[in-house]
Structures are given as structure tokens and as C-alpha cells.
Amino acid sequence: ANAESGMAVDDDCKIRFLQLKAKQTYRYIVFKIEEKLKHVVVEKLGEPNLTYEDFAVSLPAKQCIYCIYDFDFVAEENCQKSKIFFMAWHITFPDF
């Protein structure tokens, strides 16, 4: 379904997110906007064994994207936990 912006989210985005959330199938998902199609689509999937550093270096320097990262950590109670972060990513470096 289209949002008020007229941008639609591809069904594959929803499926991959649910796989990450429920089964931890991926460490991260990178989404991009297909301007011509007016769709948000999956661009990249990170395997569950990848680190945050792997994720960070895979991000493009000059592109607007959305990302989901599944962050594992040990809580104060000494138990393993996970939090899912949603990020909007846009970095532009000046052209010299």
C-alpha cells in the first residue's frame, strides 16, 4: 500500500523484516528507494554471523537508504538480549 508520500514498500521488505525479527535469519537489512518505481526494496541482507563493523562498512557513502540492524548484547542481569534498530542513512561528502 502507498503511504501519503506515494511511496510503496515491496512485500519482500516485510517478509525479510519478519524473518529477522522472529528467526534472526539476518543480522541486518539494507533497503533502498527505487525512484522510478516509487518503491522501497531490499538492497542487501547481512548474514547472522556478521558484526556491526561489517554492517557499517557495507553502507554507501552517497545514497539515501534505510537499515535495520539486530544488535545482540548482554544485559545487566547477565542475560543475552537483542534489540532491533531502524536507521535512516544519508551521508554526503563534498566533491573537491
Side-chain angles (χ1 to χ4, degrees):
N2 286 349
E4 288 183 33
S5 68
M7 193 66 62
V9 177
D10 193 77
D11 287 339
D12 191 43
C13 297
K14 300 169 194 173
I15 292 167
R16 301 297 183 163
F17 171 72
L18 292 173
Q19 290 172 335
L20 178 144
K21 182 179 174 185
K23 300 177 185 175
Q24 295 184 316
T25 307
Y26 309 107
R27 174 64 56 200
Y28 62 86
I29 305 171
V30 176
F31 304 100
K32 72 176 181 177
I33 297 172
E34 286 288 343
E35 292 288 337
K36 292 178 184 175
L37 301 174
K38 295 225 181 260
H39 250 87
V40 177
V41 297
V42 173
E43 179 168 338
K44 192 180 302 183
L45 300 167
E47 296 299 318
N49 61 326
L50 295 177
T51 65
Y52 182 80
E53 289 76 22
D54 296 324
F55 164 69
V57 299
S58 76
L59 298 176
K62 292 187 175 186
Q63 186 179 357
C64 292
I65 57 170
Y66 299 103
C67 315
I68 294 175
Y69 185 82
D70 188 7
F71 179 68
D72 291 332
F73 63 99
V74 177
E76 290 180 13
E77 310 83 47
N78 202 26
C79 61
Q80 188 71 30
K81 291 198 173 190
S82 176
K83 291 284 183 186
I84 297 172
F85 291 90
F86 176 80
M87 298 172 243
W89 175 264
H90 178 72
I91 290 188
T92 306
F93 295 103
D95 293 324
F96 294 102

